[in-house]
Amino acid sequence: MCAPVIPRSLAKNTRGLRSQLKDSVPVTGMGPQVGAYGVQDTLRSGFSSVKNELLPSHALELSEKNFQLNQDKMNFSNLRNIQGLHAPLKLQMEYRAARQIQRLPFLQSSHLALDTLKGNDESISFEDILNDPAQSEMMGEPHIMVEYKLGMM
Amino acid sequence: YRKMATLSVCQPQLGGFSFENCKRNAVLEAEVTKLGCNVPSARKTGTTICGVVFKDGIVLGADTRATEGMIVADKNCSKIHYISPNIYCCGAGTAADTEMTTQIISSNLELHSLSTSRLPRVATANRMLKQMLFRYQGHIGAALVLGGVDCNGPHLYSIYPHGSTDKLPYVTMGSGSLAAMAVFEDRYKQDMEEEDAKRLVRDAIAAGIFNDLGSGSNIDLCVITKGRVDYLRPHDMANKKGVRTGNYKYKQGTTGVLTKSVIKLDLEVVEETVQTMDTS
């Protein structure tokens, strides 16, 4: 469970990993997370390894990470073309207001208003069945999470 | 654990698929194949499923064997899944994928029909399935035959794992699909009667069962008409396990008894405890 550095003994088996990923192109969305001062934030995200950061571990990883964002972008641009600029602006304003109705960051909030606005209350998908954040075995440090959210860190 | 805890500080935790272990799995797989062992494979339903449109509705048919590599994992599994009271779906491919996909779409369709207060349409189920399967680019290995009767009449779709669909009067899927399609191509007619359609589907599935190793056991049928669904499981037990003709047990009295002596062992009950089974 420590930092993702591959020890020397397993480095020989990178061929196995490479041959599986040989069709994938290094993508920019997976780059090292830059913290303050433009360098890798070692304290927060551990040591970095180029192989881990550059290649996605699964073909669907990137597309799933950005799926909701891409859907929203597509829907908003459709709405703008059909109804005019006011429609996505108004909706985004409502989303921003509804997103603020939540508990402190380390507690589970229901996001009921946001879900109703987005229409997620009428559909079930893998986000609701697998990996439910309410059932996760790990809890974040409350002080650090609140400091991070308030921008004090 | 420190890294994971700090990661959860920066990004909100989301549900859905987590790809954390993919790199670890790739490394483990390489190690295991180097040692010469095999990684366990997923349970597939090497299958024959088919559907046909007849005069008043739809007949769906499926075999009942689930395989895990070369071994039969389930001799009598149910491959015709419920989607809504008027729509049923047969599934071929990875068994877990077809099961979960049809359950998710069934839930979504129920929510949708509650919100529109109308009977759901087959085209809606088709569109939901193809959008979900395309989103996962074929990694969800579910090949489906979707059929039902709605306000516009009977409809039959075949849906492939990458998300393409076909709307046809007769479709087959699975490893035995060629054998079943041969039967359909020979004997399909438009506007058949219900009994003819059932016999045709039964023969198509039987062709798949007898000519394909991945399909076997019984034949399940599902007849959907306007207002009535007949779920015939099993419709036909094509492969019954035979009855042993010879009996190798010796009759009582074959061996003659020469002497008989009874020794009584005196045992006393020391302790008696009752452990209840947890049957909840």
Side-chain angles (χ1 to χ4, degrees), chain B residues 38-59:
Chain B
N38 281 336
V39 180
S41 66
R43 179 189 293 202
K44 299 178 78 79
T45 59
T47 298
T48 312
I49 51 176
C50 66
V52 89
V53 177
F54 70 98
K55 195 167 73 166
D56 307 317
I58 302 270
V59 179

Side-chain angles (χ1 to χ4, degrees), chain A residues 6-56:
Chain A
I6 308 269
R8 209 148 271 261
S9 58
L10 287 181
K12 288 198 276 282
N13 292 328
T14 52
R15 194 166 302 130
L17 181 59
R18 281 227 57 187
S19 63
Q20 282 174 19
L21 299 175
K22 72 173 173 283
D23 293 325
S24 54
V25 178
V27 276
T28 49
M30 302 277 312
Q33 312 301 322
V34 282
Y37 313 114
V39 286
Q40 170 72 20
D41 202 349
T42 319
L43 182 66
R44 289 226 195 87
S45 23
F47 295 109
S48 66
S49 144
V50 171
K51 187 164 73 72
N52 275 338
E53 305 294 334
L54 222 45
L55 295 174

Side-chain angles (χ1 to χ4, degrees), chain B residues 1-252:
Chain B
Y1 290 116
R2 191 65 197 158
K3 180 194 178 215
M4 305 281 263
T6 45
L7 256 192
S8 64
V9 166
C10 311
Q11 291 136 18
Q13 279 191 310
L14 297 164
F17 289 111
S18 149
F19 297 101
E20 274 166 7
N21 289 333
C22 286
K23 289 203 172 93
R24 175 206 75 168
N25 289 350
V27 170
L28 282 178
E29 212 172 309
E31 289 266 295
V32 160
T33 42
K34 210 168 59 151
L35 291 173
C37 315
N38 281 336
V39 180
S41 66
R43 179 189 293 202
K44 299 178 78 79
T45 59
T47 298
T48 312
I49 51 176
C50 66
V52 89
V53 177
F54 70 98
K55 195 167 73 166
D56 307 317
I58 302 270
V59 179
L60 296 172
D63 72 308
T64 58
R65 175 183 287 182
T67 52
E68 213 168 282
M70 285 285 119
I71 301 176
V72 174
D74 193 344
K75 290 190 277 271
N76 199 356
C77 75
S78 155
K79 297 185 191 176
I80 306 187
H81 308 282
Y82 165 89
I83 302 265
S84 82
N86 58 328
I87 304 175
Y88 278 73
C89 181
C90 311
T94 311
D97 289 346
T98 57
E99 187 74 36
M100 296 267 46
T101 307
T102 46
Q103 283 179 350
I104 287 183
I105 297 302
S106 164
S107 309
N108 276 329
L109 212 54
E110 173 75 13
L111 285 171
H112 183 83
S113 101
L114 282 171
S115 126
T116 56
S117 47
R118 287 185 172 89
L119 200 60
R121 300 192 188 188
V122 192
T124 318
N126 177 49
R127 181 77 39 151
M128 287 181 176
L129 279 166
K130 81 193 302 194
Q131 282 178 350
M132 189 178 98
L133 290 175
F134 183 72
R135 172 179 169 181
Y136 293 105
Q137 292 290 300
H139 286 272
I140 294 192
L144 309 164
V145 166
L146 175 76
V149 178
D150 58 21
C151 55
N152 289 336
H155 302 279
L156 185 66
Y157 293 90
S158 72
I159 304 165
Y160 291 82
H162 281 264
S164 59
T165 62
D166 288 313
K167 182 173 196 307
L168 293 167
Y170 56 95
V171 290
T172 64
M173 296 285 252
S175 56
S177 62
L178 292 175
M181 186 52 92
V183 175
F184 275 164
E185 288 286 357
D186 188 32
R187 287 161 43 182
Y188 172 78
K189 285 187 290 295
Q190 261 201 331
D191 290 332
M192 286 183 289
E193 293 299 326
E194 180 173 330
E195 283 312 310
D196 291 335
K198 278 162 72 170
R199 204 172 314 128
L200 178 62
V201 170
R202 185 245 160 239
D203 288 342
I205 301 287
I209 286 178
F210 289 122
N211 294 300
D212 174 45
L213 284 179
S215 323
S217 301
N218 316 324
I219 301 171
D220 290 347
L221 279 192
C222 184
V223 183
I224 311 175
T225 49
K226 196 172 174 65
R228 179 177 64 97
V229 170
D230 282 331
Y231 194 89
L232 305 160
R233 177 179 156 79
H235 172 68
D236 193 347
M237 308 194 75
N239 291 349
K240 262 209 262 281
K241 250 178 122 160
V243 180
R244 275 210 191 108
T245 50
N247 191 3
Y248 290 99
K249 286 207 166 85
Y250 289 105
K251 279 204 292 285
Q252 285 256 347

